[in-house]
């Protein structure tokens, strides 16, 4: 990897202080985004090497179908899915999956844990769907995670494994005492592949590949239990109108044939397969989760040891191992730190804007080297000393 030169841009007003980070302090790779996130250079190189034979070829032909088959098998082994669970995929990313779930997985009423931008977005989807009843919502203040208790009449529970906007990790557990057959739908977009999970606790674990899976966006994947597959069939039989591009029944049929309903980005599939191989070859989910946890222990440990910084999430058990949020004291402007880092080609450390805090947000997905997180903290120290 080439060392970055600093680039003090004129884009920001007030201007970015010209602080040039010493080369030996800098991380080897300066990508710390929470999504899209760092893609390993080896995976990118494989696109032009072995991947080049697949780019620009038909997704209905055996070579690309073998790639999709490999992805489905790798996801299945990564999460150690029980017999009967299916890996389904389609186009449109997690945002499209929310719409597909409102059409195909929720019978009448959902209940949501809402504790940040992403979990709230799915609430808006179900609230506005005219064919569904008003969802019930358990809110928790940003920076904390709510506990979702069972409620009679609810046929789908919506959890978010990692709330990417705040850096809060929430437990994935079936609400005890839920109605028989109620489904547990988990938005695992930023958790899948970097956080341990027990498949017995979910019916649908869905995600997009631009976070822990170190690929590009635009695709969704879902590990679905037999109960979830059955629910899709039940709703189809009942005759609800479902647009074809959001029809999970159509997605399931196509996935079983190792294809998507409409054309996927083959480069995205290739990068995803590379990341799955890399994780599985190194020891699977236990290994990748331990790697992110090590990055997180460096980041939070550093913040706790500084008087100008502290982890935003107060409860250590709720601190995400994959997306770290660090608050700064009033005397230290986080936006300026992020701008100086960016001028030194260390990018995407800015906080989630709508949260409106004096904060940095650091992606610590498995592709990120824990030593690079250590280097990043050293760089922040260097900047703060000079502001
Ligand atoms: C990134 C993210 C999304 C949105 O994913 P898209 O693929 O951009 O639609 C949804 N939920 C969570 C938890 C996320 O982190």
């Amino acid at each position: 990897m080439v060392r970055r030169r600093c680039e003090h841009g004129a884009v920001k007003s007030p201007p970015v202080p010209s602080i040039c980070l010493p080369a030996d302090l800098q991380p080897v790779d300066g990508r710390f985004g929470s999504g899209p996130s760092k893609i390993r250079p080896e995976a990118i190189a494989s696109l032009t090497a072995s991947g080049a034979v697949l780019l620009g070829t038909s997704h209905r032909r055996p070579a690309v179908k073998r790639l999709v088959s490999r992805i489905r098998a790798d996801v299945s082994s990564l999460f150690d899915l029980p017999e009967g669970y299916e890996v389904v995929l389609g186009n449109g990313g997690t945002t499209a999956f929310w719409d597909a779930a409102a059409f195909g997985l929720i019978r009448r009423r959902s209940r949501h844990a809402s504790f940040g931008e992403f979990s709230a977005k799915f609430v808006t989807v179900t609230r506005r769907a005219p064919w569904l009843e008003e969802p019930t919502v358990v809110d928790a203040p940003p920076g904390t995670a709510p506990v979702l208790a069972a409620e009679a009449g609810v046929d789908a529970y919506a959890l978010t494994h990692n709330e990417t906007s705040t850096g809060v990790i929430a437990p994935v557990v079936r609400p005890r005492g839920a109605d028989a057959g109620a489904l547990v739908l988990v938005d695992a977009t930023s958790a899948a592949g970097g956080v341990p999970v027990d498949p017995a606790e979910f019916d649908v674990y869905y995600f997009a590949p631009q976070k822990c899976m170190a690929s590009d966006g635009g695709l969704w994947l879902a590990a679905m239990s037999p109960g979830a597959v059955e629910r899709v069939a039940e709703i189809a039989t009942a005759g609800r109108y479902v647009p074809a591009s959001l029809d999970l029944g159509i997605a399931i049929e196509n996935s079983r044939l190792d294809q998507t309903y409409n054309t996927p980005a083959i480069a995205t599939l290739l990068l995803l397969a590379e990341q799955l191989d890399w994780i599985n070859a190194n020891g699977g989910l236990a290994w990748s989760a331990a790697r992110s946890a090590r990055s997180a222990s460096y980041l939070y440990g550093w913040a706790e040891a500084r008087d100008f910084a502290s982890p935003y999430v107060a409860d250590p058990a709720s601190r995400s191992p994959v997306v770290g949020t660090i608050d700064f004291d009033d005397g230290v402007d986080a936006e300026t730190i992020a701008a100086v880092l960016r001028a030194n080609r260390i990018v995407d450390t800015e906080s989630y804007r709508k949260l409106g805090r004096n904060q940095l947000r650091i992606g610590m997905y498995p592709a990120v080297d824990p030593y690079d997180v250590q280097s990043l903290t050293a760089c922040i120290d260097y900047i703060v000393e000079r502001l």
Side-chain angles (χ1 to χ4, degrees), residues 92-96 98 118 160 162-164 187-190 208 210-211 218-219:
T94 296
T95 302
W98 285 326
F118 291 104
T160 300
N162 187 71
E163 184 37 91
T164 321
D187 177 355
T189 307
S190 56
Q210 71 275 23
K211 294 175 185 180
L219 193 73

